[in-house]
Amino acid sequence: MALNDNTLVIPGIGYVYTAPTGTAKPASVTAPAAPWVDTGHTSEEGLTVAFEISKTKRRTWRARAGVRVSVDEVNFTLSWTALQFDNESMTSYFGGGDVDEEGVFGVVKSPAPVEKALFIRLVDGMSEVDLYVAKAAIGPGGELTASPEDFAGFPLEAEVLDHASVAHLADWLSPLLGTAA
């Protein structure tokens, strides 16, 4: 692999969008149209991506070292901290919510992860790398923080899930990725 300075990204700005599960990638990455919704301000820590593969090494009677490795499970999670006290952030954090009364967010007694499609933009000046996920279960990723030193925040974690209508768990999008047909 040759050195290529154009593939380096310092995401000075990031955007997180959600849409109903299975929504296709936005036609315009710089201005995703409905049903994509910008989730608003997030913390300066940005996005954390964790990708883990649980596997089992298979041995035979004749081989002390493994002769095959099988994949048991794939865990792919995305984490960020939402800063806005609004229905979108609070519903994602609390696993739903009652928003039927103006000025009130009711934390429900039977929360469940909120399933959505995700589109995340990592912008570095004129360069950009995007991430599309057709289905993710979004829920709390830690304790809500509220202190006088910084904005209060809702740490969110999105567990990437398989969606039958798409070929991949996720798509990284950039002009420098993939191979021309």
Short mmCIF file of all heavy atoms in Angstrom, two decimals, residues 18-22 88 92 114-118 133-138:
data_model
loop_
_atom_site.label_atom_id
_atom_site.label_comp_id
_atom_site.label_asym_id
_atom_site.label_seq_id
_atom_site.Cartn_x
_atom_site.Cartn_y
_atom_site.Cartn_z
N THR A 18 -30.46 9.91 11.47
CA THR A 18 -31.22 8.68 11.62
C THR A 18 -32.39 8.70 10.65
O THR A 18 -32.82 9.75 10.19
CB THR A 18 -31.76 8.49 13.06
OG1 THR A 18 -32.62 9.58 13.38
CG2 THR A 18 -30.63 8.39 14.06
N ALA A 19 -32.88 7.49 10.36
CA ALA A 19 -34.06 7.32 9.49
C ALA A 19 -34.69 5.98 9.86
O ALA A 19 -34.09 5.19 10.60
CB ALA A 19 -33.63 7.34 8.02
N PRO A 20 -35.88 5.71 9.37
CA PRO A 20 -36.46 4.40 9.64
C PRO A 20 -35.54 3.28 9.16
O PRO A 20 -34.83 3.41 8.16
CB PRO A 20 -37.77 4.42 8.83
CG PRO A 20 -38.12 5.88 8.75
CD PRO A 20 -36.80 6.58 8.63
N THR A 21 -35.56 2.18 9.88
CA THR A 21 -34.74 1.02 9.54
C THR A 21 -34.91 0.65 8.07
O THR A 21 -36.02 0.63 7.56
CB THR A 21 -35.14 -0.18 10.43
OG1 THR A 21 -34.90 0.18 11.78
CG2 THR A 21 -34.35 -1.42 10.10
N GLY A 22 -33.79 0.38 7.41
CA GLY A 22 -33.81 -0.03 6.01
C GLY A 22 -33.82 1.09 5.00
O GLY A 22 -33.76 0.84 3.80
N GLU A 88 -35.62 13.32 20.24
CA GLU A 88 -34.78 12.35 19.52
C GLU A 88 -33.70 11.78 20.43
O GLU A 88 -33.55 10.56 20.54
CB GLU A 88 -34.14 13.03 18.29
CG GLU A 88 -33.16 12.17 17.54
CD GLU A 88 -33.77 11.25 16.51
OE1 GLU A 88 -34.92 11.48 16.10
OE2 GLU A 88 -33.10 10.28 16.13
N SER A 92 -33.81 7.93 22.21
CA SER A 92 -32.72 7.00 21.95
C SER A 92 -32.08 6.52 23.25
O SER A 92 -31.78 5.34 23.42
CB SER A 92 -31.65 7.65 21.07
OG SER A 92 -32.17 7.91 19.79
N VAL A 114 -34.06 1.43 20.44
CA VAL A 114 -34.70 2.10 19.31
C VAL A 114 -33.97 1.67 18.05
O VAL A 114 -32.77 1.88 17.93
CB VAL A 114 -34.65 3.63 19.50
CG1 VAL A 114 -35.19 4.35 18.28
CG2 VAL A 114 -35.38 4.04 20.76
N GLU A 115 -34.67 1.04 17.12
CA GLU A 115 -34.03 0.59 15.88
C GLU A 115 -34.19 1.65 14.81
O GLU A 115 -35.30 2.13 14.55
CB GLU A 115 -34.60 -0.75 15.43
CG GLU A 115 -34.18 -1.88 16.34
CD GLU A 115 -34.58 -3.25 15.83
OE1 GLU A 115 -35.20 -3.35 14.75
OE2 GLU A 115 -34.27 -4.22 16.53
N LYS A 116 -33.06 2.02 14.19
CA LYS A 116 -33.03 3.04 13.14
C LYS A 116 -31.93 2.71 12.14
O LYS A 116 -31.01 1.95 12.43
CB LYS A 116 -32.70 4.42 13.74
CG LYS A 116 -33.67 4.93 14.76
CD LYS A 116 -34.62 5.89 14.14
CE LYS A 116 -35.52 6.50 15.20
NZ LYS A 116 -36.27 7.57 14.72
N ALA A 117 -32.01 3.34 10.98
CA ALA A 117 -30.88 3.37 10.05
C ALA A 117 -30.02 4.56 10.47
O ALA A 117 -30.52 5.54 11.02
CB ALA A 117 -31.37 3.55 8.62
N LEU A 118 -28.72 4.47 10.24
CA LEU A 118 -27.79 5.54 10.60
C LEU A 118 -26.99 5.98 9.39
O LEU A 118 -26.59 5.15 8.56
CB LEU A 118 -26.79 5.07 11.66
CG LEU A 118 -27.29 4.88 13.08
CD1 LEU A 118 -26.22 4.18 13.92
CD2 LEU A 118 -27.63 6.22 13.69
N VAL A 133 -25.42 2.64 7.82
CA VAL A 133 -25.86 1.41 8.47
C VAL A 133 -27.38 1.31 8.26
O VAL A 133 -28.11 2.24 8.62
CB VAL A 133 -25.53 1.43 9.99
CG1 VAL A 133 -26.13 0.24 10.70
CG2 VAL A 133 -24.03 1.52 10.22
N ALA A 134 -27.85 0.21 7.69
CA ALA A 134 -29.28 0.05 7.41
C ALA A 134 -30.10 -0.23 8.66
O ALA A 134 -31.28 0.11 8.73
CB ALA A 134 -29.49 -1.07 6.40
N LYS A 135 -29.47 -0.83 9.68
CA LYS A 135 -30.21 -1.18 10.89
C LYS A 135 -29.28 -1.20 12.10
O LYS A 135 -28.25 -1.88 12.08
CB LYS A 135 -30.87 -2.55 10.71
CG LYS A 135 -31.73 -3.00 11.88
CD LYS A 135 -32.34 -4.35 11.57
CE LYS A 135 -33.22 -4.86 12.68
NZ LYS A 135 -33.75 -6.21 12.38
N ALA A 136 -29.66 -0.45 13.13
CA ALA A 136 -28.91 -0.44 14.38
C ALA A 136 -29.87 -0.29 15.54
O ALA A 136 -30.89 0.38 15.43
CB ALA A 136 -27.90 0.71 14.38
N ALA A 137 -29.54 -0.94 16.64
CA ALA A 137 -30.32 -0.80 17.88
C ALA A 137 -29.60 0.25 18.74
O ALA A 137 -28.47 0.03 19.17
CB ALA A 137 -30.41 -2.13 18.61
N ILE A 138 -30.26 1.38 18.95
CA ILE A 138 -29.64 2.50 19.68
C ILE A 138 -30.18 2.51 21.10
O ILE A 138 -31.38 2.39 21.33
CB ILE A 138 -29.95 3.83 18.98
CG1 ILE A 138 -29.51 3.78 17.51
CG2 ILE A 138 -29.26 4.98 19.71
CD1 ILE A 138 -29.97 4.96 16.68
#
